[in-house]
Amino acid sequence: MNIHDGRPKGLRSELSAIVRAGAHAHPNRTAVRCGDEILTYGELHARSCRLANALRALGVGRGERVATLGDNCLQSVEQLSGLACGGYVRAALHTHNTAETHLYLLNLVEASALIVQRKYYDALAPRLREVATLHHVLVVDHPIGGGDIDYETTLAQASSADPHITLQPDEPHVIRFSAGTTGKPKGILHSVSRWTSVGEEMAQVMPPQDPTSRYLVAAPLAHAAVLPLWAILGAGGSAVLMSAFDPGQFLAVVAAQRCTTTLLVPTMIQLIVDHPSAAATDVSSLRAVFYGAAPIGERTLADARALWGDILYQMYGQSEVPPVSV
């Protein structure tokens, strides 16, 4: 499915609908890759449905807030799709924040459930009782003891049947968190129509996407790196995830996977172009490098253009007001 297929606007770029369509059209095509692990479109859809159904079985109702906390991994993408599939409101916590900030934000959004990677769980576990609304904690990369829930076991026990929940344009859909530069971070609630308008905007400004498109996700999916995902999966392409950014690994992955699109911040661009392997690595597959979140220096921009050509797209936006300008 391509999101520019002429269907009514309402759900055409809602992520779980795109994954559902991809699973029907090309179930065995790779949708997400992280290292040597992959999820096909069929697997991504099935696991998204399992997550939606698992939360429903736990008693988490449509419209309740579900927070996520973790690095880029296969589970990150199925959580994006699965929470939409179940009609939950997703609130992505940022891994660079302190445990104190995480607890504050969980209380702020009145989260009913938390899906957290084990490496971030341990710092939070002793104080999660301070979040009065939090009834369920699903831990990725178990095992642990106590009353918290192993993510993979929970998904394996859940049904893969599609719940076929229809999202209405004005329903609460995503809570984004501001940077907190002038105080504590704020939670910004976006409806389905507001949030999907971002995906539609990105699809319009990106070079044409097709099944050979590969989006290298080098920045956190919990932040702006999620934005090109709709266009890539809507065109039947794939997302290639880096769990953590490293400039040498970035160059190697672009060359090995023939990545066509990426999204970076200026500091990352400078680290890449300054890397000893930059000039010798074949990154000719890249057709678009999006960047934003901070001003870019003249030297950084000149160095990047010298290496990659005129494929840089500058993004402007803010968490409070979608969509973005490019």
Side-chain angles (χ1 to χ4, degrees), residues 19-319:
V19 171
R20 179 184 298 116
H24 289 308
H26 33 77
N28 297 319
R29 185 180 297 167
T30 297
V32 189
R33 175 184 296 274
C34 188
D36 295 328
E37 298 181 306
I38 68 166
L39 282 179
T40 66
Y41 275 86
E43 291 168 337
L44 176 57
H45 180 239
R47 287 179 62 87
S48 298
C49 294
R50 287 184 184 277
L51 175 57
N53 291 325
L55 289 169
R56 188 59 48 83
L58 289 170
V60 183
R62 174 174 178 157
E64 292 190 46
R65 278 64 169 159
V66 178
T68 61
L69 176 60
D71 299 327
N72 291 349
C73 58
L74 298 182
Q75 292 92 337
S76 300
V77 180
E78 71 195 25
Q79 289 162 23
L80 293 168
S81 175
L83 295 180
C85 182
Y88 307 112
V89 178
R90 177 174 57 85
L93 301 170
H94 302 310
T95 57
H96 63 263
N97 281 336
T98 63
E100 190 74 32
T101 300
H102 292 320
L103 291 165
Y104 167 74
L105 294 175
L106 288 168
N107 274 307
L108 179 69
V109 302
E110 298 181 338
S112 298
L114 168 66
I115 304 172
V116 56
Q117 203 169 5
R118 176 66 194 272
K119 64 188 289 188
Y120 300 108
Y121 169 81
D122 293 336
L124 284 174
R127 298 185 58 187
L128 285 176
R129 293 182 183 276
E130 296 174 25
V131 186
T133 59
L134 187 65
H135 302 301
H136 307 288
V137 180
L138 283 70
V139 183
V140 181
D141 300 331
H142 229 246
I144 56 174
D148 298 309
I149 304 167
D150 176 61
Y151 181 87
E152 288 297 334
T153 301
T154 304
L155 261 64
Q157 294 171 347
S159 169
S160 62
D162 195 321
H164 285 292
I165 288 176
T166 300
L167 299 176
Q168 300 303 317
D170 60 349
E171 275 191 85
H173 190 46
V174 166
I175 296 175
R176 294 284 298 224
F177 296 115
S178 66
T181 51
T182 59
K184 291 183 177 180
K186 300 175 180 65
I188 301 125
L189 181 63
H190 294 301
S191 66
V192 173
S193 61
R194 289 184 68 186
W195 190 241
T196 57
S197 69
V198 180
E200 293 175 359
E201 171 84 3
M202 289 299 298
Q204 291 173 26
V205 300
M206 291 170 71
Q209 304 300 307
D210 59 43
T212 67
S213 299
R214 291 188 174 92
Y215 169 39
L216 177 50
V217 187
L221 280 169
H223 202 261
V226 72
L227 300 181
L229 196 61
W230 286 262
I232 295 292
L233 297 183
S238 59
V240 181
L241 310 184
M242 294 181 67
S243 57
F245 174 72
D246 174 84
Q249 186 186 10
F250 175 93
L251 292 164
V253 173
V254 171
Q257 297 298 326
R258 306 303 294 162
C259 297
T260 59
T261 303
T262 193
L263 186 151
L264 306 166
V265 299
T267 301
M268 297 164 76
I269 293 176
Q270 190 64 63
L271 289 170
I272 294 165
V273 299
D274 285 345
H275 194 273
S277 301
T281 303
D282 180 8
V283 295
S284 59
S285 59
L286 281 174
R287 301 199 296 265
V289 175
F290 288 86
Y291 67 93
I296 191 166
E298 290 185 18
R299 182 176 79 85
T300 300
L301 186 57
D303 290 347
R305 290 182 68 194
L307 273 175
W308 301 333
D310 287 324
I311 62 168
L312 289 103
Y313 292 69
Q314 185 161 12
M315 300 175 63
Y316 300 87
Q318 60 190 75
S319 297

